Structure formats: structure tokens, C-alpha cells
PDB file of all heavy atoms in Angstrom:
ATOM      1  N   GLU A   1       8.697 -59.775  39.512  1.00 96.00           N
ATOM      2  CA  GLU A   1       8.433 -60.670  38.354  1.00 96.00           C
ATOM      3  C   GLU A   1       7.229 -60.134  37.584  1.00 96.00           C
ATOM      4  O   GLU A   1       6.184 -59.864  38.198  1.00 96.00           O
ATOM      5  CB  GLU A   1       8.211 -62.115  38.832  1.00 96.00           C
ATOM      6  CG  GLU A   1       8.064 -63.091  37.682  1.00 96.00           C
ATOM      7  CD  GLU A   1       8.058 -64.532  38.130  1.00 96.00           C
ATOM      8  OE1 GLU A   1       8.200 -64.773  39.342  1.00 96.00           O
ATOM      9  OE2 GLU A   1       7.961 -65.404  37.274  1.00 96.00           O
ATOM     10  N   ALA A   2       7.401 -60.058  36.269  1.00 95.00           N
ATOM     11  CA  ALA A   2       6.330 -59.515  35.452  1.00 95.00           C
ATOM     12  C   ALA A   2       5.763 -60.569  34.537  1.00 95.00           C
ATOM     13  O   ALA A   2       6.482 -61.450  34.040  1.00 95.00           O
ATOM     14  CB  ALA A   2       6.889 -58.373  34.602  1.00 95.00           C
ATOM     15  N   SER A   3       4.462 -60.484  34.322  1.00 91.00           N
ATOM     16  CA  SER A   3       3.810 -61.344  33.324  1.00 91.00           C
ATOM     17  C   SER A   3       3.890 -60.618  31.986  1.00 91.00           C
ATOM     18  O   SER A   3       4.220 -59.439  31.905  1.00 91.00           O
ATOM     19  CB  SER A   3       2.352 -61.577  33.694  1.00 91.00           C
ATOM     20  OG  SER A   3       1.655 -60.352  33.672  1.00 91.00           O
ATOM     21  N   GLY A   4       3.553 -61.298  30.936  1.00 76.00           N
ATOM     22  CA  GLY A   4       3.539 -60.641  29.611  1.00 76.00           C
ATOM     23  C   GLY A   4       4.708 -61.009  28.734  1.00 76.00           C
ATOM     24  O   GLY A   4       5.781 -61.324  29.245  1.00 76.00           O
ATOM     25  N   SER A   5       4.494 -60.943  27.445  1.00 70.00           N
ATOM     26  CA  SER A   5       5.505 -61.441  26.505  1.00 70.00           C
ATOM     27  C   SER A   5       6.395 -60.310  25.942  1.00 70.00           C
ATOM     28  O   SER A   5       7.328 -60.625  25.228  1.00 70.00           O
ATOM     29  CB  SER A   5       4.790 -62.157  25.348  1.00 70.00           C
ATOM     30  OG  SER A   5       3.906 -61.233  24.663  1.00 70.00           O
ATOM     31  N   ILE A   6       6.136 -59.085  26.290  1.00 85.00           N
ATOM     32  CA  ILE A   6       6.960 -57.980  25.742  1.00 85.00           C
ATOM     33  C   ILE A   6       7.648 -57.262  26.862  1.00 85.00           C
ATOM     34  O   ILE A   6       7.878 -56.073  26.781  1.00 85.00           O
ATOM     35  CB  ILE A   6       6.136 -57.022  24.886  1.00 85.00           C
ATOM     36  CG1 ILE A   6       4.958 -56.442  25.681  1.00 85.00           C
ATOM     37  CG2 ILE A   6       5.633 -57.685  23.625  1.00 85.00           C
ATOM     38  CD1 ILE A   6       4.245 -55.356  24.933  1.00 85.00           C
ATOM     39  N   PHE A   7       7.984 -57.959  27.920  1.00 89.00           N
ATOM     40  CA  PHE A   7       8.661 -57.359  29.072  1.00 89.00           C
ATOM     41  C   PHE A   7       9.894 -56.564  28.641  1.00 89.00           C
ATOM     42  O   PHE A   7      10.159 -55.511  29.190  1.00 89.00           O
ATOM     43  CB  PHE A   7       9.065 -58.493  30.013  1.00 89.00           C
ATOM     44  CG  PHE A   7       9.939 -58.012  31.157  1.00 89.00           C
ATOM     45  CD1 PHE A   7       9.383 -57.449  32.306  1.00 89.00           C
ATOM     46  CD2 PHE A   7      11.317 -58.202  31.118  1.00 89.00           C
ATOM     47  CE1 PHE A   7      10.202 -57.025  33.365  1.00 89.00           C
ATOM     48  CE2 PHE A   7      12.114 -57.788  32.195  1.00 89.00           C
ATOM     49  CZ  PHE A   7      11.540 -57.201  33.322  1.00 89.00           C
ATOM     50  N   SER A   8      10.627 -57.076  27.694  1.00 89.00           N
ATOM     51  CA  SER A   8      11.929 -56.485  27.329  1.00 89.00           C
ATOM     52  C   SER A   8      11.749 -55.099  26.780  1.00 89.00           C
ATOM     53  O   SER A   8      12.717 -54.307  26.750  1.00 89.00           O
ATOM     54  CB  SER A   8      12.634 -57.399  26.274  1.00 89.00           C
ATOM     55  OG  SER A   8      11.889 -57.515  25.108  1.00 89.00           O
ATOM     56  N   ARG A   9      10.580 -54.715  26.350  1.00 91.00           N
ATOM     57  CA  ARG A   9      10.367 -53.406  25.771  1.00 91.00           C
ATOM     58  C   ARG A   9      10.044 -52.346  26.823  1.00 91.00           C
ATOM     59  O   ARG A   9      10.083 -51.143  26.535  1.00 91.00           O
ATOM     60  CB  ARG A   9       9.221 -53.464  24.747  1.00 91.00           C
ATOM     61  CG  ARG A   9       9.547 -54.348  23.555  1.00 91.00           C
ATOM     62  CD  ARG A   9       8.342 -54.477  22.621  1.00 91.00           C
ATOM     63  NE  ARG A   9       7.826 -53.178  22.216  1.00 91.00           N
ATOM     64  CZ  ARG A   9       6.684 -53.058  21.558  1.00 91.00           C
ATOM     65  NH1 ARG A   9       5.937 -54.097  21.246  1.00 91.00           N
ATOM     66  NH2 ARG A   9       6.292 -51.860  21.182  1.00 91.00           N
ATOM     67  N   TYR A  10       9.683 -52.799  27.993  1.00 94.00           N
ATOM     68  CA  TYR A  10       9.280 -51.847  29.049  1.00 94.00           C
ATOM     69  C   TYR A  10      10.465 -51.190  29.768  1.00 94.00           C
ATOM     70  O   TYR A  10      11.482 -51.829  29.975  1.00 94.00           O
ATOM     71  CB  TYR A  10       8.412 -52.570  30.090  1.00 94.00           C
ATOM     72  CG  TYR A  10       6.993 -52.782  29.670  1.00 94.00           C
ATOM     73  CD1 TYR A  10       6.678 -53.844  28.843  1.00 94.00           C
ATOM     74  CD2 TYR A  10       5.989 -51.916  30.061  1.00 94.00           C
ATOM     75  CE1 TYR A  10       5.370 -54.039  28.440  1.00 94.00           C
ATOM     76  CE2 TYR A  10       4.671 -52.131  29.677  1.00 94.00           C
ATOM     77  CZ  TYR A  10       4.376 -53.194  28.871  1.00 94.00           C
ATOM     78  OH  TYR A  10       3.089 -53.358  28.461  1.00 94.00           O
ATOM     79  N   VAL A  11      10.287 -49.947  30.123  1.00 96.00           N
ATOM     80  CA  VAL A  11      11.132 -49.317  31.113  1.00 96.00           C
ATOM     81  C   VAL A  11      10.666 -49.811  32.465  1.00 96.00           C
ATOM     82  O   VAL A  11       9.478 -49.689  32.798  1.00 96.00           O
ATOM     83  CB  VAL A  11      11.058 -47.767  31.053  1.00 96.00           C
ATOM     84  CG1 VAL A  11      11.909 -47.171  32.172  1.00 96.00           C
ATOM     85  CG2 VAL A  11      11.483 -47.265  29.723  1.00 96.00           C
ATOM     86  N   MET A  12      11.563 -50.372  33.234  1.00 97.00           N
ATOM     87  CA  MET A  12      11.221 -50.933  34.542  1.00 97.00           C
ATOM     88  C   MET A  12      11.807 -50.057  35.625  1.00 97.00           C
ATOM     89  O   MET A  12      12.929 -49.555  35.508  1.00 97.00           O
ATOM     90  CB  MET A  12      11.732 -52.341  34.688  1.00 97.00           C
ATOM     91  CG  MET A  12      11.157 -53.324  33.644  1.00 97.00           C
ATOM     92  SD  MET A  12       9.355 -53.478  33.703  1.00 97.00           S
ATOM     93  CE  MET A  12       9.157 -54.054  35.385  1.00 97.00           C
ATOM     94  N   GLY A  13      11.015 -49.872  36.705  1.00 97.00           N
ATOM     95  CA  GLY A  13      11.499 -49.024  37.767  1.00 97.00           C
ATOM     96  C   GLY A  13      11.073 -49.493  39.121  1.00 97.00           C
ATOM     97  O   GLY A  13      10.179 -50.341  39.270  1.00 97.00           O
ATOM     98  N   TRP A  14      11.794 -48.990  40.115  1.00 98.00           N
ATOM     99  CA  TRP A  14      11.434 -49.173  41.507  1.00 98.00           C
ATOM    100  C   TRP A  14      11.158 -47.787  42.100  1.00 98.00           C
ATOM    101  O   TRP A  14      11.960 -46.840  41.914  1.00 98.00           O
ATOM    102  CB  TRP A  14      12.528 -49.851  42.281  1.00 98.00           C
ATOM    103  CG  TRP A  14      12.639 -51.303  42.044  1.00 98.00           C
ATOM    104  CD1 TRP A  14      13.434 -51.935  41.138  1.00 98.00           C
ATOM    105  CD2 TRP A  14      11.872 -52.337  42.707  1.00 98.00           C
ATOM    106  NE1 TRP A  14      13.226 -53.318  41.203  1.00 98.00           N
ATOM    107  CE2 TRP A  14      12.262 -53.568  42.123  1.00 98.00           C
ATOM    108  CE3 TRP A  14      10.883 -52.321  43.697  1.00 98.00           C
ATOM    109  CZ2 TRP A  14      11.750 -54.771  42.550  1.00 98.00           C
ATOM    110  CZ3 TRP A  14      10.382 -53.543  44.117  1.00 98.00           C
ATOM    111  CH2 TRP A  14      10.788 -54.760  43.548  1.00 98.00           C
ATOM    112  N   TYR A  15       9.998 -47.684  42.756  1.00 98.00           N
ATOM    113  CA  TYR A  15       9.602 -46.448  43.439  1.00 98.00           C
ATOM    114  C   TYR A  15       9.378 -46.801  44.915  1.00 98.00           C
ATOM    115  O   TYR A  15       9.246 -47.985  45.264  1.00 98.00           O
ATOM    116  CB  TYR A  15       8.306 -45.896  42.839  1.00 98.00           C
ATOM    117  CG  TYR A  15       8.436 -45.296  41.467  1.00 98.00           C
ATOM    118  CD1 TYR A  15       8.661 -46.136  40.385  1.00 98.00           C
ATOM    119  CD2 TYR A  15       8.374 -43.938  41.265  1.00 98.00           C
ATOM    120  CE1 TYR A  15       8.793 -45.568  39.107  1.00 98.00           C
ATOM    121  CE2 TYR A  15       8.496 -43.386  40.026  1.00 98.00           C
ATOM    122  CZ  TYR A  15       8.718 -44.205  38.934  1.00 98.00           C
ATOM    123  OH  TYR A  15       8.825 -43.664  37.688  1.00 98.00           O
ATOM    124  N   ARG A  16       9.339 -45.806  45.747  1.00 98.00           N
ATOM    125  CA  ARG A  16       9.015 -46.059  47.149  1.00 98.00           C
ATOM    126  C   ARG A  16       8.167 -44.927  47.703  1.00 98.00           C
ATOM    127  O   ARG A  16       8.215 -43.786  47.207  1.00 98.00           O
ATOM    128  CB  ARG A  16      10.266 -46.221  47.995  1.00 98.00           C
ATOM    129  CG  ARG A  16      11.122 -44.916  48.134  1.00 98.00           C
ATOM    130  CD  ARG A  16      12.439 -45.252  48.828  1.00 98.00           C
ATOM    131  NE  ARG A  16      13.263 -44.028  49.017  1.00 98.00           N
ATOM    132  CZ  ARG A  16      14.471 -44.036  49.477  1.00 98.00           C
ATOM    133  NH1 ARG A  16      15.079 -45.211  49.812  1.00 98.00           N
ATOM    134  NH2 ARG A  16      15.142 -42.903  49.642  1.00 98.00           N
ATOM    135  N   GLN A  17       7.394 -45.271  48.730  1.00 98.00           N
ATOM    136  CA  GLN A  17       6.535 -44.298  49.398  1.00 98.00           C
ATOM    137  C   GLN A  17       6.644 -44.469  50.895  1.00 98.00           C
ATOM    138  O   GLN A  17       6.261 -45.517  51.395  1.00 98.00           O
ATOM    139  CB  GLN A  17       5.108 -44.376  48.919  1.00 98.00           C
ATOM    140  CG  GLN A  17       4.229 -43.290  49.423  1.00 98.00           C
ATOM    141  CD  GLN A  17       2.909 -43.219  48.699  1.00 98.00           C
ATOM    142  OE1 GLN A  17       2.488 -44.193  48.034  1.00 98.00           O
ATOM    143  NE2 GLN A  17       2.230 -42.107  48.803  1.00 98.00           N
ATOM    144  N   ALA A  18       7.140 -43.472  51.546  1.00 96.00           N
ATOM    145  CA  ALA A  18       7.224 -43.472  53.026  1.00 96.00           C
ATOM    146  C   ALA A  18       5.942 -42.890  53.564  1.00 96.00           C
ATOM    147  O   ALA A  18       5.270 -42.113  52.896  1.00 96.00           O
ATOM    148  CB  ALA A  18       8.446 -42.694  53.456  1.00 96.00           C
ATOM    149  N   PRO A  19       5.609 -43.183  54.817  1.00 92.00           N
ATOM    150  CA  PRO A  19       4.395 -42.644  55.420  1.00 92.00           C
ATOM    151  C   PRO A  19       4.403 -41.120  55.367  1.00 92.00           C
ATOM    152  O   PRO A  19       5.371 -40.460  55.750  1.00 92.00           O
ATOM    153  CB  PRO A  19       4.479 -43.143  56.867  1.00 92.00           C
ATOM    154  CG  PRO A  19       5.284 -44.383  56.797  1.00 92.00           C
ATOM    155  CD  PRO A  19       6.289 -44.100  55.707  1.00 92.00           C
ATOM    156  N   GLY A  20       3.278 -40.582  54.885  1.00 94.00           N
ATOM    157  CA  GLY A  20       3.133 -39.150  54.801  1.00 94.00           C
ATOM    158  C   GLY A  20       3.900 -38.447  53.682  1.00 94.00           C
ATOM    159  O   GLY A  20       3.894 -37.225  53.635  1.00 94.00           O
ATOM    160  N   LYS A  21       4.510 -39.250  52.837  1.00 96.00           N
ATOM    161  CA  LYS A  21       5.297 -38.647  51.751  1.00 96.00           C
ATOM    162  C   LYS A  21       4.786 -39.130  50.396  1.00 96.00           C
ATOM    163  O   LYS A  21       4.081 -40.144  50.316  1.00 96.00           O
ATOM    164  CB  LYS A  21       6.785 -39.002  51.895  1.00 96.00           C
ATOM    165  CG  LYS A  21       7.427 -38.383  53.160  1.00 96.00           C
ATOM    166  CD  LYS A  21       8.927 -38.600  53.136  1.00 96.00           C
ATOM    167  CE  LYS A  21       9.591 -37.916  54.319  1.00 96.00           C
ATOM    168  NZ  LYS A  21      11.051 -38.089  54.303  1.00 96.00           N
ATOM    169  N   GLN A  22       5.154 -38.400  49.363  1.00 97.00           N
ATOM    170  CA  GLN A  22       4.746 -38.813  48.005  1.00 97.00           C
ATOM    171  C   GLN A  22       5.630 -39.950  47.525  1.00 97.00           C
ATOM    172  O   GLN A  22       6.768 -40.142  47.985  1.00 97.00           O
ATOM    173  CB  GLN A  22       4.915 -37.620  47.095  1.00 97.00           C
ATOM    174  CG  GLN A  22       3.884 -36.520  47.261  1.00 97.00           C
ATOM    175  CD  GLN A  22       3.936 -35.487  46.185  1.00 97.00           C
ATOM    176  OE1 GLN A  22       4.986 -35.233  45.575  1.00 97.00           O
ATOM    177  NE2 GLN A  22       2.795 -34.839  45.881  1.00 97.00           N
ATOM    178  N   ARG A  23       5.087 -40.694  46.596  1.00 98.00           N
ATOM    179  CA  ARG A  23       5.840 -41.779  45.984  1.00 98.00           C
ATOM    180  C   ARG A  23       6.989 -41.181  45.154  1.00 98.00           C
ATOM    181  O   ARG A  23       6.771 -40.192  44.462  1.00 98.00           O
ATOM    182  CB  ARG A  23       4.945 -42.640  45.118  1.00 98.00           C
ATOM    183  CG  ARG A  23       5.557 -43.929  44.670  1.00 98.00           C
ATOM    184  CD  ARG A  23       4.513 -44.801  43.928  1.00 98.00           C
ATOM    185  NE  ARG A  23       3.433 -45.186  44.807  1.00 98.00           N
ATOM    186  CZ  ARG A  23       2.494 -46.055  44.461  1.00 98.00           C
ATOM    187  NH1 ARG A  23       2.514 -46.660  43.284  1.00 98.00           N
ATOM    188  NH2 ARG A  23       1.488 -46.331  45.290  1.00 98.00           N
ATOM    189  N   GLU A  24       8.142 -41.760  45.275  1.00 98.00           N
ATOM    190  CA  GLU A  24       9.303 -41.203  44.570  1.00 98.00           C
ATOM    191  C   GLU A  24      10.070 -42.311  43.851  1.00 98.00           C
ATOM    192  O   GLU A  24      10.085 -43.478  44.258  1.00 98.00           O
ATOM    193  CB  GLU A  24      10.254 -40.490  45.572  1.00 98.00           C
ATOM    194  CG  GLU A  24      10.845 -41.432  46.628  1.00 98.00           C
ATOM    195  CD  GLU A  24      11.819 -40.759  47.555  1.00 98.00           C
ATOM    196  OE1 GLU A  24      12.002 -39.514  47.479  1.00 98.00           O
ATOM    197  OE2 GLU A  24      12.458 -41.458  48.372  1.00 98.00           O
ATOM    198  N   LEU A  25      10.753 -41.896  42.771  1.00 98.00           N
ATOM    199  CA  LEU A  25      11.564 -42.809  42.021  1.00 98.00           C
ATOM    200  C   LEU A  25      12.793 -43.200  42.827  1.00 98.00           C
ATOM    201  O   LEU A  25      13.456 -42.336  43.434  1.00 98.00           O
ATOM    202  CB  LEU A  25      11.991 -42.192  40.691  1.00 98.00           C
ATOM    203  CG  LEU A  25      12.988 -42.971  39.850  1.00 98.00           C
ATOM    204  CD1 LEU A  25      12.320 -44.268  39.293  1.00 98.00           C
ATOM    205  CD2 LEU A  25      13.541 -42.125  38.738  1.00 98.00           C
ATOM    206  N   VAL A  26      13.106 -44.502  42.827  1.00 98.00           N
ATOM    207  CA  VAL A  26      14.346 -44.972  43.407  1.00 98.00           C
ATOM    208  C   VAL A  26      15.365 -45.248  42.291  1.00 98.00           C
ATOM    209  O   VAL A  26      16.485 -44.751  42.331  1.00 98.00           O
ATOM    210  CB  VAL A  26      14.103 -46.246  44.250  1.00 98.00           C
ATOM    211  CG1 VAL A  26      15.446 -46.762  44.800  1.00 98.00           C
ATOM    212  CG2 VAL A  26      13.107 -45.983  45.352  1.00 98.00           C
ATOM    213  N   ALA A  27      14.930 -46.040  41.313  1.00 98.00           N
ATOM    214  CA  ALA A  27      15.837 -46.390  40.192  1.00 98.00           C
ATOM    215  C   ALA A  27      15.002 -46.901  39.020  1.00 98.00           C
ATOM    216  O   ALA A  27      13.889 -47.411  39.232  1.00 98.00           O
ATOM    217  CB  ALA A  27      16.815 -47.462  40.639  1.00 98.00           C
ATOM    218  N   LEU A  28      15.574 -46.736  37.835  1.00 98.00           N
ATOM    219  CA  LEU A  28      14.896 -47.320  36.669  1.00 98.00           C
ATOM    220  C   LEU A  28      15.937 -47.843  35.708  1.00 98.00           C
ATOM    221  O   LEU A  28      17.122 -47.470  35.759  1.00 98.00           O
ATOM    222  CB  LEU A  28      13.955 -46.341  35.990  1.00 98.00           C
ATOM    223  CG  LEU A  28      14.565 -45.017  35.400  1.00 98.00           C
ATOM    224  CD1 LEU A  28      15.148 -45.253  34.040  1.00 98.00           C
ATOM    225  CD2 LEU A  28      13.460 -43.969  35.262  1.00 98.00           C
TER     226      LEU A  28
END
């Protein structure tokens, strides 16, 4: 859930980071 009035303009994504690994894109 996002605050702010211009949410619709943002590209939204989910990333993940496993132990010892870099953060990676899951989906956007």
C-alpha cells in the first residue's frame, strides 16, 4: 500500500533479496 496522490503515475515493482545475494527484480 502506497501513500501519495500520484500513485497511478509510478512504475511499481516487487524485488527480492536472498541471504548473501543481490537484490533482484521479481516483477514490475
